[in-house]
Amino acid sequence: MEKVQRKQRDKEFITEEGKKLHLIGKFLLKTELLVRDTEGHDSVQLLSVSKDATKILVQGRMTEQFKLNSHIVLYKLLARYVELECEVLEERPNNQYVMNVDAVSIASRERKFARIKPPDGSVWITNLRTSRTTIDANLFNIPTSVKVNFADTERTLKPKYDIVKIDVFNSIGDKFDLVKKTGKILFIPNTQKPDSYRSSDPDGFIDYEQELGDEDDVRKKIIEYANQKIKSELIVPVIYINHDEQAIPIGYVHAQNRTREIGIEEVMEIKTLTFDMVDRIRESNTILVKERFPVLDLSTGGLRVKINHPDLNSEIPRRKGFTFDIFFKMQSPITAYGVVRSVAKDVDGNLYIGLSLEGNSARPGEKKRFIDNVNRMLADAGVKVNPN
């Protein structure tokens, strides 16, 4: 089992021979241990342990349950989570295996959320949405969809303004760097009026007077615009919201007029156009997979799923997270955003993805409905649930 743990579990490794033997012999011997990252929560019974605690003999539950030299993790939830990292050394008759114990660890604290394995076929995820290409603030790789959408929108706006340009951000000047850094609009309705350099809406617009410095700096800028014969200027950022729910300023719409003032209604029109551009870019840069993938276990804080899909197996391990729909049998879907916490891959190429649920769905009450479903399963299994 190949494993990449995104967020390392807080755990203590037991290295002293006596302590390892005590832990295994007293708490794990003759008990069932679960095998991590298996769809059916495979288990074994620990039959014996060597005196130096370096080897164990386990009873498997099926023929050819493990391959020789494969690395597996056996675990059990006692007061805290106990884990044995093992290598299969020998297969014996009656599905018994000798394993080398490479590491013994115990969680530093109890689990924050109780986990439950749902009945087979009762919970699954589908409609997975993630990016084809990573779009980030560095813009090292600009997808074709970005360039095409920028060019199409620029052609639409060209007849309306003396000068118009839509492009990705580069190190091209103070004004553009300011728009990229703040994510706000730079709007100067009349470059020859000092009042135009102030903003009455600091949340959405840059106060250019404050950024320039003092009245002398504003006067210099007025002269600069007069020499360039620019009467009105507007720079609107194009803010891309990726599948990790990050707002990234990827470009700008730049409009200038020489004789006519740009109106506030035109500012709002261009701002709306940037939203349309982002929607089109997201749609063309999105992988949507409608297949069902089983939920192996879940808690009120997250879930673990098994995935095997050609578009997802290579993409998901590289992503911070992705959006998907959770289905509880006979219920409407719950839309969620999951942060990838762990990724494991078995010899057959299946991915086992641990996800923590973060953010809120667009539909009110979705998170509460998810928690209510999980708590109901926990209660049915006899696990005490927190009423809050």
Side-chain angles (χ1 to χ4, degrees), residues 2-15:
E2 176 188 346
K3 187 165 186 70
V4 178
Q5 188 80 24
R6 293 290 186 86
K7 184 179 180 182
Q8 291 294 336
R9 182 188 305 282
D10 293 329
K11 56 186 178 183
E12 304 167 6
F13 283 92
I14 311 300
T15 57

Side-chain angles (χ1 to χ4, degrees), residues 3 12 16-17 22 84 97 129 178 181 190 274 301:
K3 187 165 186 70
E12 304 167 6
E16 294 182 26
E17 180 182 306
H22 174 74
L84 306 182
Y97 296 88
R129 297 172 287 277
L178 192 57
K181 179 182 177 181
N190 191 323
T274 67

Side-chain angles (χ1 to χ4, degrees), residues 7 113 301-303 324 337-342 354-359:
K7 184 179 180 182
F113 304 108
L303 44 81
F324 53 92
Y337 174 75
V339 174
V340 178
R341 294 302 184 189
S342 65
L355 298 162
S356 64
L357 299 187
E358 300 187 10

Side-chain angles (χ1 to χ4, degrees), residues 82-101:
V82 179
E83 191 174 271
L84 306 182
E85 298 177 30
C86 304
E87 180 183 2
V88 180
L89 299 179
E90 178 186 348
E91 182 176 3
R92 292 184 177 178
N94 301 320
N95 303 327
Q96 293 184 0
Y97 296 88
V98 177
M99 298 184 179
N100 190 69
V101 181

